[in-house]
Structures are given as C-alpha cells and as structure tokens.
Amino acid sequence: GSFTHWFWCMIVSWTFPIVADKAGFWAFAFFALVLFAALTSAISIAETVTASFCDATGAKRRTGVFATCAWMSIGAIPSVLSLDFLSWCDFAANDVLMPLCAFFTCIFVGWIAPKRWMLREIYTTRLVNRIYMIAMRYAIPALIAVIFAVSLLSGLGLVAV
C-alpha cells in the first residue's frame, strides 16, 4: 500500500545518520549502493520509454532521451512537493489498476481466448482443465471483484480493513 513507499523512504533517510555515525565507511558504501540501485532502475525505465518514443515518432535518440528526461522531471514535481501524490499513485496502481487488470485477464482467458491456448500451457488432465476453466470463468473473477471492492472502499476511507 501507500505505507510501503513511505516506509522505504523513511527507513533510508532515518537510518543513514545513525548508521553513518556508527559504521562510517561501510554505511557510506551501503547507501551509495542503494543510490546506485535506484539510478540503474530509473535508467532502465527511461530506456524503455525512450525507445518507445523514438519508435513511435521516428525521433533521433538524443531527442528521445531529452524528451523522456523532461517528462520525467515534470512528472516528479508533484512527488517532490507532496507524499500525498505518491500515496494517490500507489492507491491508483495497487488498489485500482492491478485488480482491474487481473479481473479482465480472467474474463479474457475464461471467455474470449480459445481453449487450446490454455490447454497448450497447462495441460494435465481433463478434470484439472475443467476445474481451471470453471475457476477462471466464475470463482476467480468473483473473488477479484470482492477484493477490488474492499480495497477501493478501504482506500476511499469508507470501510476500515
């Protein structure tokens, strides 16, 4: 949930002075590695966006990198100004988009996609395949709908979980 992002931000910012005071160089090395991990993750995300932008528009790589960095910088402004924005993004992604995506994936696999696709992937026995199809068509979407409703109501503050 939104607590996760807050927790990791705070754990790093709160522990650095304490650990740096006690461990010296090793604390610096650890947090330098944390910074390195964050930068490499950001670069890999930016690479995907840049490649997609260049493919879609036919722009040169330099232009794609500049456009990606500009949009990332503009998009970071609300995050820098408030943790509430990050909480909202976390709520939208984890409590709304992920359950909806799972629900529609079940609908697609259970009702729209040809059965031979599923049989090619998980074929074991006819009984297991039948149970799988019943679960994918009825049980799993129903459970996901309940999870979605509870997480949405909880996120909006209407129900305490």
Side-chain angles (χ1 to χ4, degrees):
S2 59
F3 176 75
T4 305
H5 180 266
W6 175 86
F7 175 77
W8 285 110
C9 289
M10 292 303 116
I11 199 82
V12 169
S13 63
W14 288 345
T15 57
F16 181 72
I18 297 166
V19 174
D21 186 42
K22 304 238 187 268
F25 170 77
W26 296 110
F28 176 78
F30 171 76
F31 286 104
L33 290 173
V34 169
L35 176 65
F36 181 72
L39 287 175
T40 56
S41 295
I43 289 169
S44 69
I45 291 169
E47 170 58 31
T48 305
V49 174
T50 301
S52 297
F53 175 79
C54 291
D55 289 345
T57 63
K60 292 183 178 179
R61 180 130 177 98
R62 182 178 298 242
T63 304
V65 169
F66 179 75
T68 301
C69 289
W71 280 110
M72 287 175 70
S73 298
I74 291 168
I77 291 171
S79 299
V80 170
L81 297 177
S82 170
L83 277 178
D84 290 337
F85 177 75
L86 293 176
S87 297
W88 180 85
C89 289
D90 182 60
F91 169 74
N94 291 329
D95 296 342
V96 177
L97 295 176
M98 286 171 65
L100 283 178
C101 183
F103 179 80
F104 287 116
T105 299
C106 288
I107 298 302
F108 176 76
V109 170
W111 294 98
I112 299 169
K115 285 185 183 179
R116 68 179 182 278
W117 289 4
M118 184 271 305
L119 294 175
R120 218 178 19 223
E121 295 296 323
I122 66 155
Y123 185 77
T124 55
T125 65
R126 289 176 61 93
L127 176 64
V128 171
N129 290 342
R130 185 147 173 84
I131 292 169
Y132 178 81
M133 287 307 291
I134 290 170
M136 194 60 85
R137 286 184 173 179
Y138 303 106
I140 297 171
L143 292 172
I144 291 172
V146 169
I147 291 169
F148 175 68
V150 169
S151 66
L152 187 63
L153 293 173
S154 173
L156 294 173
L158 301 174
V159 173
V161 179

